[in-house]
Amino acid sequence: MSAQRSLQVRLVARLVAIFAVGAVAATGGAVIHAVLTLDSLADRSLVAQARDVERAVVVGGDGAIAVRLPKDLVAAYAIGGSMFAVFDAAGRAVAAAPAGAGGRFAQAVGAPPALGFFTLSDKGEARPVLAYVADAGHILPGLRIAVAQSALHDDSFYDSVVEEFLEGVAWWIVPVVLAVIAVAVLTIRATVRSLDEVSRAAAAIGPEQPRRRLPTATVPREIAPLVSAVNSALDRLAEAFERQRCFTADAAHGLRTPLAVLAARVESLADHPEGAALAADVARMTRLVDQLLHVARLEAAPLDRHATVDLHAVAVKAASAVAPLAVKKGCALALEEAGGRWTVHGNEAAIGLALLNLLENAIEHSPPGGRVVVRLEGTGVVSVADHGPGIPAAAREAVFQRFWRGGNAGGRGAGLGLAIVAEVMNAHGGRATVAEAEGGGAVFSLVFPEPEPLAEAPAGGATPSLGRRAAAGA
Amino acid sequence: MRILVVEDEPELRELLQKAFAEAGFTVDAVGEWASADADLCTTAFDAVLLDLGLPDGDGLTLLRALRRRGTATPVLVLTARDALEDRVSGLDAGADDYVVKPFYTAEVVARIRALLRRPGQALGLSMVEGNVTFDTAARSVEVDGAPLVLTRRELALLELLMRQAGRVISKAAIEDGLYGFDDEVSANAIEVLVHRLRRRLAGAGASIAIHTLRGIGYMLTEASG
């Protein structure tokens, strides 16, 4: 699963981003708020200082202005760090402490000084000096009081505020973020786990179990619609398979029943001179119908290939089925084993059908009295050899194509048998091959992938002390 | 012997009825699921010939119902379906054997006969192949009406082969049928026994042959030519 598509990775990334933005915004906001608060504290302090001075202003009878500060304030101004000056309308500093303060104010904001807050810039001082000029026009027109005091803190104070905020407040952001991410991941994991069951159920659905559906009970409600949609898609597929299956079954019934009537009628003509020829025609028609139905059946639905098939058992069954045909033709039919018994994964009926087709072909093409040998080569290869005319090298590819009849237009086959063999082997992931048999004739081989040795030891060998079982194996 | 033929195709039903009547059976023939069901409930048949594709119901359900009632009557299924479809499910439902359409009525008659002479079915039955008659009650064999004396093992082998005439019996099945578990059987005991039986039959002029299919089994047929 790529990181791009992983729900988990995407959710974690987004949560982290949201928390990062949130944390930066919250921290910044808090710091700015703190700084603003401090600044307004300084401003209020300046305003209070200006009021103190204002209250101390005394206007003499001659209009002379004096400032009579309480003792403690006088002391404060004496220490330094604070200063004030009172300017008259003409811009003269009529009172100031410490002496020379008026000049500084005048230098900074003019005389008379402009109203408002400002900073007296003085590079020489460690802390900035904050100043305020208040209008005292109600005492004397044009009277202005300028006050200044060193800032309570310098710029590094802001840094320590931020630092304090981070230490005191922000530390919990990290664990909270981690906790949220952990919860998100666990939730996703749990959700995905509930989908594991669905995945397993889905993996088990195949042509052999077309009626199985995905469970909807355990999946989250958000995902249930998807599961239901998949289920209804499966319903439609199963229905289509079923229709195909019904069609081939109906076709089989529809074709084979009249053939049965025909065969029975022909049978009653046994003594008639045309009887044998008619019977051969019926047999040929029957074989053609069988093969067409097999082709239709193989195409209608994928084979269920999940059984463990014992190749020896299938070979014996197929050989037994064609034995009467072989005996009738005077062929010697035999089964040989070389290399132990093997099983393959597949569909027993289909493998049996492939083998049956090879055997019927071999018997048909054998000269009377010829030998047809089924050989279990071991390692998942079954071959059928005959001593008929064989297949020319140039035709060995074409022979597995439909309706190939090898120029044998008068023959009994419709050219579907080997195509069915090839189709069955393809469906099993194996292949069918043809080569020249030893001593002439054709040898067809079915090659299966991934054969496994039969778990049970094959009967064979002679250890008489073990009783008759020891000698079994024809 | 009374048999029931259940086949919806009228011509085929008629032909089967005729074939079985000629073979000496009493035949009832029906073409519908419902009448077959009614007949099976009221009459005891010795064997049933059942077509799976009936217009008013599936033959398999009829078969299952029959088996549920505990009826052991041998049933030969006639089917147009084959191995790639549901041949197996038919046998699971309780069929004793099946014949895929189309078929020769002679084969169907032979199969029904084979079902009827299965052990436990009809005792004292005579099996006939070619000019050989095997009396299962008296355990005696006649070739062209003349008695043929065989050993116990030879008799047992001939019986096995005649019960399955025209079909391959594996060597293992013959060993199972002829020898007890504790009997020691040499690797070629069956070959030797078959060889001996062949010689005896040939000596008596029997018109049957025992074919050896190496690695597959043995099969008894009427001798050709």
Side-chain angles (χ1 to χ4, degrees), chain A residues 38-39 42 45-46 81-82 119-120 125-131 148-155 157-158:
Chain A
L38 288 172
D39 283 351
S45 168
L46 283 168
S82 296
T119 305
L120 285 179
E125 286 168 36
R127 300 182 197 158
V129 177
L130 304 176
Q149 55 183 258
S150 290
L152 291 167
H153 47 76
D154 54 26
D155 284 344
F157 180 80
Y158 293 108

Side-chain angles (χ1 to χ4, degrees), chain B residues 8-63:
Chain B
D8 64 313
E9 162 61 42
E11 285 188 84
L12 197 54
R13 187 169 65 234
E14 209 173 289
L15 287 162
L16 283 167
Q17 196 169 6
K18 204 173 117 206
F20 275 98
E22 279 170 6
F25 289 86
T26 308
V27 190
D28 292 274
V30 294
E32 284 139 32
W33 194 96
S35 39
D37 194 42
D39 282 5
L40 285 168
C41 282
T42 54
T43 316
F45 293 95
D46 295 296
V48 179
L49 201 59
L50 179 63
D51 179 26
L52 290 188
L54 297 171
D56 57 342
D58 187 355
L60 285 180
T61 60
L62 194 68
L63 184 53

Side-chain angles (χ1 to χ4, degrees), chain A residues 36 92 149 177 204 251 253:
Chain A
L36 289 176
R92 284 172 297 165
Q149 55 183 258
V177 169
H253 193 254

Side-chain angles (χ1 to χ4, degrees), chain A residues 256 265 267 297 335 468-469, chain B residues 11 80 84 105-106 214:
Chain A
R256 283 179 174 146
R265 288 205 187 288
E267 197 182 3
R297 174 81 178 119
L335 186 144
R468 71 185 170 81
R469 289 280 165 207
Chain B
E11 285 188 84
L84 285 177
T105 52
R214 191 160 50 83

Side-chain angles (χ1 to χ4, degrees), chain A residues 165-231:
Chain A
F165 172 80
L166 288 176
E167 277 174 6
V169 180
W171 66 267
W172 58 263
I173 291 179
V174 173
V176 165
V177 169
L178 290 179
V180 167
I181 289 171
V183 167
V185 167
L186 288 178
T187 306
I188 289 176
R189 287 252 169 98
T191 308
V192 170
R193 243 196 316 280
S194 75
L195 294 181
D196 279 353
E197 196 185 328
V198 177
S199 306
R200 274 196 301 277
I205 294 174
E208 71 281 11
Q209 266 146 352
R211 289 282 155 218
R212 266 180 86 161
R213 290 294 173 264
L214 305 179
T216 49
T218 55
V219 300
R221 212 176 334 144
E222 290 79 0
I223 296 172
L226 172 65
V227 175
S228 303
V230 170
N231 277 343

Side-chain angles (χ1 to χ4, degrees), chain A residues 73 123 147 225 231 259 313 376 389 411 461 470:
Chain A
L73 283 179
K123 298 272 159 40
V147 294
N231 277 343
L259 268 178
L376 294 157

